[in-house]
């Protein structure tokens, strides 16, 4: 039983899905966990603390003080006690407060003092979920290392149909169990990850770049760190944040900078996952001043950049793993297999631009993994976080 004696703080907020939190508490307890519930004032409007404390065998915490005897409920103690904080359901208001540190109730103070990892299962109406402020808050929470269980699509309490209903307790349980199974499985491993695009400077204001958002590489870095690895994330210019303490982030601009940092870092690594979309060419010369329009044609000669993957492939020792990515528009498999050999990779992750929802900028990706023996594994369209988990399972089986 992976949950045996695990201490779980279950946070419940004011959503109609709060009724499902009772089943969730029951499942956690049946699986051997000790559950302490923290509920927001509006959560209590949806489900009574009596029901919850009867299930968990512990008084439900909601206020900073017990009114009749003045006992202070220490959120700091909860933060130390927990092996995991699970917030289910999490409303848009709670997500916003968590993302911005607005500590106006016991659940948020507990969240801010939490020493343990946090899993969040949002629940709200479809338009609230689709609002850019919710999307941004969820991105921020992910960047703090929190795990988000995406809500499901279906009929909502409002009778509207769309994405926003809290995932079913059994599915949330599966995420929790998976979390404890994999936690620490990569401790003492050192992993280098390259991510994002590179910018190849033309003049002080212009560059040659590409559409890579860095999302796949950041998802890989976060998942490796979550499993206990020491991650070095070398990233080109992206607008993503990461705050996980297990990640050392090195920001670079050009392929040449990424090359220098990666070559040095690889020496002490157990594995490198090369997810960056590195420019193959750079301008032969960089103009010191901004190029002016003259009416004539402007020719920019390009010279090849060094291939980071191929160079690491040459350095690679028997106990090191090297994983590459390939994005092909034609003859995908043949070209990907050639790259495995040319760059001395252990396996390659093939993304196709032909698959809807896969590739640059999307939150989702659809991959195929090919190994040196030509064996092929196809995966379904999944969130980049889930894809990251599949790739890491493949790297460290
Ligand atoms: O050759 P191609 O660019 O398609 O290969 C893709 C793989 O090689 C990716 O893993 C990418 O990160 C890596 N690569 C690299 N350095 C380059 C070009 C590609 O590490 N200069």
């Amino acid at each position: 039983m992976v949950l045996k004696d695990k201490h779980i703080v279950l946070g419940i907020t004011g959503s109609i899905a709060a009724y499902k939190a009772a089943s969730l508490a029951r499942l956690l307890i049946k699986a051997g966990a000790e559950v302490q519930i923290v509920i927001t004032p509006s959560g209590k409007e949806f489900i009574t603390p009596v029901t919850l404390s009867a299930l968990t065998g512990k008084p439900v915490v909601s206020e900073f003080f017990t009114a009749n005897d003045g006992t202070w409920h220490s959120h700091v103690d909860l933060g130390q006690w927990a092996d995991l904080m699970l917030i289910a359901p999490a409303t848009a208001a709670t997500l916003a407060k968590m993302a911005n540190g607005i500590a106006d109730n016991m659940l948020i103070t507990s969240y801010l003092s939490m020493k343990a990892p946090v899993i969040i299962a949002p629940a709200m109406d479809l338009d609230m979920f689709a609002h850019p402020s919710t999307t941004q808050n969820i991105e921020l929470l992910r960047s703090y290392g929190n795990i988000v269980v995406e809500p499901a699509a279906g009929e909502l309490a409002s009778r509207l149909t769309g994405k926003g209903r809290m995932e079913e307790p059994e599915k949330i349980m599966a995420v929790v169990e998976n979390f404890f199974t994999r936690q620490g499985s990569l401790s003492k491993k050192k992993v280098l990850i390259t991510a994002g695009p590179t910018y190849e400077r033309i003049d002080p204001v212009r560059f040659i770049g590409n559409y890579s958002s860095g999302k796949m590489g950041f998802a890989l870095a976060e998942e490796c760190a979550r499993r206990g690895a020491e991650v070095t994330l070398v990233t080109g210019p992206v607008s993503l944040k990461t705050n996980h303490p297990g990640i050392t982030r090195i920001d670079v601009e050009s392929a040449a900078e990424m090359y220098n940092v990666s070559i040095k870092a690889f020496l002490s690594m157990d594995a490198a996952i090369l997810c960056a979309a590195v420019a193959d060419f750079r301008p032969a010369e960089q103009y010191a001043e901004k190029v002016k329009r003259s009416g004539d044609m402007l020719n920019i000669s390009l010279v090849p950049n060094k291939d980071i993957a191929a160079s690491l492939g040459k350095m690679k020792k028997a106990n090191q793993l090297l994983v590459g990515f390939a994005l092909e528009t034609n003859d995908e498999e043949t070209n990907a297999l050639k790259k495995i050999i040319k760059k001395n990779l252990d396996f390659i992750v093939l993304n196709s631009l032909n698959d809807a929802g896969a590739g640059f900028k999307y939150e989702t990706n659809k991959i195929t993994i090919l190994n040196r023996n030509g064996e092929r594994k196809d995966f379904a369209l999944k969130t980049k976080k889930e894809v990251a988990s599949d790739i890491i399972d493949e790297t460290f089986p």
Side-chain angles (χ1 to χ4, degrees):
M1 280 219 287
V2 299
L3 294 194
K4 177 124 183 52
D5 300 329
K6 293 291 182 205
H7 292 175
I8 297 181
V9 170
L10 175 59
I12 302 176
T13 72
S15 150
I16 180 64
Y19 80 91
K20 294 191 201 168
S23 312
L24 188 55
R26 182 86 195 93
L27 288 172
L28 291 166
I29 285 165
K30 258 175 76 180
E34 262 189 64
V35 178
Q36 172 62 61
I37 289 176
V38 184
I39 193 164
T40 61
S42 62
K44 287 194 284 188
E45 305 287 335
F46 288 89
I47 185 159
T48 78
V50 178
T51 307
L52 297 166
S53 64
L55 288 170
T56 63
K58 286 183 197 293
V60 168
V61 176
S62 181
E63 312 299 333
F64 293 114
F65 299 93
T66 304
N68 54 8
D69 64 4
T71 310
W72 182 53
H73 300 296
S74 170
H75 49 88
V76 178
D77 287 352
L78 274 184
Q80 306 269 3
W81 174 81
D83 296 305
L84 175 75
M85 183 175 195
L86 172 61
I87 303 173
T91 58
T94 290
L95 295 177
K97 288 183 198 175
M98 287 163 67
N100 295 289
I102 301 170
D104 67 349
N105 66 45
M106 187 68 189
L107 189 148
I108 308 292
T109 50
S110 305
Y111 168 72
L112 293 175
S113 318
M114 193 46 58
K115 295 281 191 206
V118 180
I119 298 180
I120 307 160
M124 67 200 75
D125 219 49
L126 72 162
D127 293 314
M128 292 176 81
F129 186 70
H131 195 280
S133 75
T134 307
T135 309
Q136 200 174 325
N137 288 329
I138 290 179
E139 288 246 323
L140 272 172
L141 293 168
R142 284 203 162 109
S143 80
Y144 305 159
N146 301 164
I147 298 165
V148 178
V149 184
E150 291 276 328
E155 195 187 328
L156 302 162
S158 59
R159 305 275 183 273
L160 296 172
T161 303
K163 189 170 176 180
R165 54 192 280 177
M166 188 177 88
E167 195 42 284
E168 293 306 323
E170 292 73 17
K171 291 252 176 83
I172 298 175
M173 266 304 280
V175 175
V176 171
E177 283 172 342
N178 190 0
F179 168 82
F180 281 112
T181 311
R182 294 205 170 111
Q183 190 189 35
S185 60
L186 296 189
S187 72
K188 302 204 177 73
K189 294 277 183 219
K190 289 176 139 200
V191 184
L192 168 70
I193 293 170
T194 66
T198 62
Y199 285 4
E200 308 302 319
R201 191 182 282 227
I202 297 170
D203 70 17
V205 296
R206 301 183 181 97
F207 59 85
I208 297 172
N210 62 65
Y211 292 124
S212 170
S213 63
K215 285 180 181 160
M216 192 63 243
F218 275 60
L220 281 161
E222 258 148 42
E223 184 57 21
C224 281
R226 193 185 75 66
R227 294 188 192 188
E230 234 179 84
V231 179
T232 302
L233 172 65
V234 184
T235 178
V238 293
S239 56
L240 301 172
K241 295 193 180 85
T242 180
N243 295 312
H244 196 295
I247 302 175
T248 304
R249 171 175 174 165
I250 304 174
D251 286 277
V252 297
E253 187 178 289
S254 64
E257 283 169 343
M258 188 175 275
Y259 178 90
N260 291 336
V261 173
S262 303
I263 295 288
K264 229 187 249 167
F266 187 58
L267 293 169
S268 61
M269 295 289 150
D270 294 293
I273 307 179
L274 305 174
C275 195
V278 186
D280 289 323
F281 298 95
R282 67 179 183 278
E285 53 178 336
Q286 293 176 1
Y287 294 89
E289 306 294 342
K290 186 176 166 195
V291 178
K292 299 273 187 305
R293 180 205 300 271
S294 71
D296 292 336
M297 266 179 66
L298 172 69
N299 288 311
I300 297 175
S301 306
L302 300 174
V303 292
N305 279 326
K306 286 189 207 159
D307 189 325
I308 304 168
S311 307
L312 298 187
K314 283 199 187 106
M315 291 166 62
K316 189 174 81 169
K317 296 193 210 82
N319 58 353
Q320 289 180 307
L321 289 158
L322 193 57
V323 177
F325 274 68
L327 185 100
E328 301 289 340
T329 53
N330 60 301
D331 297 330
E332 299 175 324
E333 199 165 326
T334 321
N335 286 329
L337 282 170
K338 275 189 202 151
K339 273 178 204 170
I340 294 186
I341 305 304
K342 194 174 133 210
K343 302 184 190 221
N344 194 20
L345 305 172
D346 291 274
F347 66 85
I348 199 157
V349 182
L350 181 62
N351 306 269
S352 168
L353 276 184
N354 302 326
D355 289 315
F360 294 134
K361 300 219 159 107
Y362 290 103
E363 295 300 332
T364 49
N365 204 2
K366 187 167 181 306
I367 59 159
T368 298
I369 291 182
L370 297 168
N371 70 16
R372 295 178 71 88
N373 308 326
E375 288 159 352
R376 172 187 178 119
K377 259 193 206 172
D378 289 301
F379 294 81
L381 185 72
K382 297 182 180 189
T383 63
K384 285 188 173 169
K385 184 174 170 47
E386 291 166 327
V387 173
S389 191
D390 289 339
I391 294 169
I392 297 161
D393 285 347
E394 203 66 30
T395 312
F396 300 101

